Structure formats: structure tokens, C-alpha cells
């Protein structure tokens, strides 16, 4: 028997319960892994609250690091004792141990510790597809990043700067502005008191930006479109303020033949070869020091409800890890 955080109904953090669960042997193509550290992400709140419906009862969490305990038939590239991590896998990371499809696991290179890996895989892989695939950021670009002091924001700001881009980041407070500037943002906008559309126009000399990375949603999306240069891309990859209202596509024509996409990691990392290539780029920029992963909060895994409450109340910055 092992323990896991599960929920039997959707709702607030209080629906999360610490339960005993039975684990069998790994089946064909599976591995049994023991977790050492588990990542906390805003998508976990969407799953728990029912914004993203899941079949109940359910486990939670999509990113973690740990050790392989046993592999099932047909698994040839992993063995017991291997250090592994993942960030694009079926839910169930909030557990002491689990069974998981082996093709979702990535060998953790030397030089990256378990807490760092647990803090960076989902957010780092998300950053990879956003700035290397959805819109390929290049030297000389000026880009707009919302929630620049969040988990994805702190990684994306550093990585985009490393690529030679100028990053404009929106944040909710002066403290978060300072954090964003320390992680790649050349300019910060405190959206609670500044009009970010006006500030982007000022910063870019009226040229605006080729891409906006928006994980906020309802509160920012229409204004994000106003920040885009003609043929610009609005990449909406989250909805921390709520879902965006139905969009009149005629607005995209009026505002400069704009593109809008709602990408997900599951799509970009669906194929094993793509997942491995994406992770390889992520490991490279972290090991080189170009992107620093900072775990700002840790909670025992059994206290996941407290971690969820703090994340929703915006009491956290950067990455949070649940320790096993």
C-alpha cells in the first residue's frame, strides 16, 4: 500500500484527501516509480475545482521526479534505480508512488536535482513549446508576457532573454515586478495601476509586439490583442482569471489580421520523439545556467490543500514543490 492525494468531488482545497491506495505490478509498457518531489501547478486547481472536468474519484498532478522501482514487459530504456522526471503524463503525481506509462518518463541528467526537476518539467516544457514552436522567439524580438512572476513566467522570461529577445512582463505588484526583472524581463508593468496596452505602445515606440503569451485569460485577453503588431500571435495558454468570452473573429481582421491559438502541452508532447526533443532543450538551458529554476515554497505532499489555497490566493511566487 502507498498514499496519495485524491478527490471524490470537485470543489475547494478541502476536497483533497490523503488516502491509502493499492499499487500492483507494472503492466506492459509501464513503470512503477517512487516519487521524491512533486510539482504544483495552476492546472491542478482547474482539475480539482471542475474547470477542467475529470472522472471522479481522481488523483491529481502532472509533474514530478523520482526513481524507477520496477518496469513492466516491453520497457527497454529504463531500469530500476534510474532517476526520472516527467511533466507531460496522466494525472496522478500527488502520490508517494505510482504506475505510469514508461514512454512519458524522461531520464534525469546529472546536474539537475529532484526538487529542481519537479519544479520545472511541466512549466519548462510549456515554455519550450511556447517560445520555440507556437511562436519561435528570435533575437531582436520584443514580446509581451503576462503573469511574468509566475511559474511559467520566470522560466519564459529567462529563456527568451537568453534567445536575445526583449521581454515586457506584466505583474500584480512591485514585489513581483522586482522578481520578474531579476528573471529576464527588461520592462515590467504593474497592471493593477498601469494600462498595459498604453505602456506596451510607449515601450515599443508604437510598433507593438509580434506575440503575447497570456495565461491570465478573461481579464487580459482582449487588451492583449491591442498589443499585437499586424500578423501578431496571441498565445492563450491558461485562464487564471476565468475563461475568455466567445470571440468575434472580425476583431482579428480589424486589429491587423491577427492569429489566436489555444495551445496545450498534451498536444505538443503527444509523440514520444517530440517530448524527448523538448526535454533535451529544457535540460540544456537549465544545466548551462541560462535558465535558473528557483523553488520558492515547499510543502509536505499530505498538505497539498494548504499549497492549493496559497497558490489560489497568489501568496506564492515562482515554483512550489510538494515533498514526499
Amino acid at each position: 500500500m502507498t498514499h496519495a492525494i485524491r478527490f471524490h468531488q470537485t470543489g475547494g482545497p478541502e476536497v483533497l484527501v490523503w488516502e491509502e491506495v493499492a499499487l500492483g505490478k507494472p503492466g506492459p509498457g509501464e513503470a512503477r516509480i517512487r516519487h521524491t518531489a512533486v510539482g504544483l501547478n495552476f492546472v491542478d486547481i482547474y482539475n480539482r475545482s471542475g474547470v477542467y472536468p475529470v472522472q471522479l474519484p481522481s488523483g491529481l498532478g502532472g509533474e514530478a521526479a523520482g526513481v524507477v522501482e520496477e518496469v513492466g514487459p516491453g520497457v527497454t530504456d529504463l531500469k530500476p534505480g534510474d532517476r526520472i522526471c516527467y511533466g507531460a503524463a496522466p494525472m496522478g503525481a500527488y502520490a508517494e508512488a505510482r504506475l505510469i506509462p514508461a514512454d512519458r518518463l524522461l531520464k534525469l541528467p546529472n546536474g539537475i536535482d529532484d526538487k529542481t526537476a519537479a519544479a520545472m518539467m511541466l512549466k519548462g516544457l510549456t515554455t519550450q513549446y511556447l517560445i520555440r514552436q507556437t511562436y519561435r522567439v528570435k533575437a531582436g524580438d520584443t514580446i509581451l508576457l503576462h503573469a511574468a512572476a509566475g511559474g511559467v513566467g520566470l522560466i519564459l522570461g529567462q529563456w527568451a532573454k537568453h534567445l536575445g529577445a526583449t521581454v515586457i512582463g506584466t505583474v500584480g505588484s512591485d514585489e513581483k515586478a522586482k522578481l520578474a526583472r531579476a528573471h529576464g524581463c527588461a520592462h515590467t508593468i504593474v497592471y493593477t495601476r498601469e494600462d498595459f496596452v498604453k505602456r506596451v505602445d510607449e515601450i515599443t515606440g508604437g510598433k507593438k509586439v509580434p506575440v503575447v503569451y497570456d495565461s491570465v485569460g478573461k481579464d487580459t485577453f482582449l487588451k492583449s490583442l491591442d498589443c499585437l503588431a499586424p500578423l501578431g500571435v496571441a498565445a492563450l495558454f491558461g485562464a487564471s482569471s476565468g475563461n475568455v468570452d466567445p470571440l468575434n473573429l472580425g476583431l482579428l481582421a480589424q486589429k491587423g489580421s491577427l492569429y489566436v491559438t489555444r495551445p496545450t502541452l498534451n498536444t505538443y508532447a503527444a509523440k514520444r520523439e517530440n517530448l524527448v526533443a523538448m526535454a533535451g532543450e529544457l535540460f540544456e538551458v537549465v544545466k548551462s545556467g541560462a535558465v535558473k529554476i528557483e523553488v520558492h515554497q515547499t510543502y509536505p505532499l499530505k498538505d497539498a490543500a494548504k499549497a492549493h489555497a496559497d497558490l489560489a490566493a497568489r501568496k506564492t511566487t515562482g515554483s512550489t514543490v510538494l515533498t514526499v
Side-chain angles (χ1 to χ4, degrees):
M1 300 292 285
T2 188
H3 288 86
I5 292 282
R6 292 171 60 77
F7 60 110
H8 295 258
Q9 63 190 55
T10 55
E14 69 281 354
V15 303
L16 298 179
V17 289
W18 182 242
E19 290 185 341
E20 251 194 348
V21 292
L23 269 192
K25 293 180 74 65
E30 284 188 328
R32 190 178 74 217
I33 57 174
R34 174 174 48 82
H35 287 138
T36 52
V38 176
L40 174 71
N41 293 281
F42 223 100
V43 69
D44 303 343
I45 291 178
Y46 299 156
N47 293 137
R48 184 209 72 218
S49 63
V51 173
Y52 294 170
V54 298
Q55 190 171 349
L56 298 174
S58 178
L60 198 59
E63 113 182 298
V67 180
V68 175
E69 290 190 320
E70 188 178 353
V71 297
V75 178
T76 57
D77 54 351
L78 290 172
K79 63 184 186 304
D82 281 348
R83 296 176 66 230
I84 52 84
C85 58
Y86 60 90
M91 284 199 310
Y94 286 26
E96 292 174 324
R98 71 179 295 195
L99 299 175
I100 192 168
D103 72 349
R104 298 288 89 193
L105 297 176
L106 297 153
K107 285 188 181 179
L108 187 52
N110 293 331
I112 299 178
D113 66 64
D114 291 19
K115 279 186 186 175
T116 299
M120 79 182 202
M121 291 311 299
L122 191 149
K123 293 175 277 287
L125 291 170
T126 297
T127 297
Q128 194 283 340
Y129 82 68
L130 286 171
I131 68 173
R132 306 299 288 149
Q133 299 185 71
T134 302
Y135 173 88
R136 196 169 176 86
V137 172
K138 58 190 182 299
D141 281 343
T142 297
I143 68 173
L144 178 61
L145 168 63
H146 290 305
V152 170
L154 294 182
I155 296 175
L156 198 154
Q158 294 178 81
W159 199 339
K161 180 183 179 182
H162 173 63
L163 294 171
T166 298
V167 184
I168 304 171
T170 70
V171 293
S173 68
D174 289 321
E175 181 187 0
K176 290 189 174 184
K178 185 178 178 183
L179 189 62
R181 284 194 297 273
H183 291 78
C185 285
H187 308 274
T188 53
I189 302 168
V190 181
Y191 66 83
T192 48
R193 63 166 185 262
E194 297 178 273
D195 179 344
F196 70 80
V197 177
K198 182 180 175 186
R199 288 285 293 120
V200 166
D201 202 57
E202 290 169 358
I203 291 166
T204 62
K207 291 181 179 179
K208 303 189 179 182
V209 297
V211 64
V212 179
Y213 295 112
D214 190 338
S215 61
V216 178
K218 189 179 182 72
D219 290 352
T220 54
F221 184 71
L222 286 178
K223 286 186 173 183
S224 290
L225 299 183
D226 290 330
C227 296
L228 286 169
L231 307 182
V233 177
L236 179 73
F237 66 101
S240 61
S241 68
N243 288 324
V244 172
D245 292 330
L247 180 65
N248 171 10
L249 295 182
L251 284 175
L252 303 181
Q254 294 169 23
K255 295 178 186 295
S257 302
L258 305 180
Y259 294 86
V260 172
T261 182
R262 180 60 180 86
T264 69
L265 177 57
N266 285 344
T267 308
Y268 280 91
K271 293 180 179 177
R272 168 73 180 172
E273 59 266 34
N274 293 347
L275 173 62
V276 170
M278 292 164 67
E281 277 201 29
L282 173 61
F283 293 149
E284 188 179 316
V285 293
V286 171
K287 286 201 297 179
S288 75
V291 173
K292 293 178 172 58
I293 307 297
E294 296 170 4
V295 177
H296 288 183
Q297 300 85 206
T298 60
Y299 300 77
L301 177 59
K302 61 183 175 55
D303 294 338
K306 167 70 171 154
H308 274 226
D310 288 351
L311 179 61
R314 302 190 186 281
K315 291 180 181 177
T316 66
T317 59
S319 294
T320 300
V321 166
L322 308 172
T323 54
V324 184

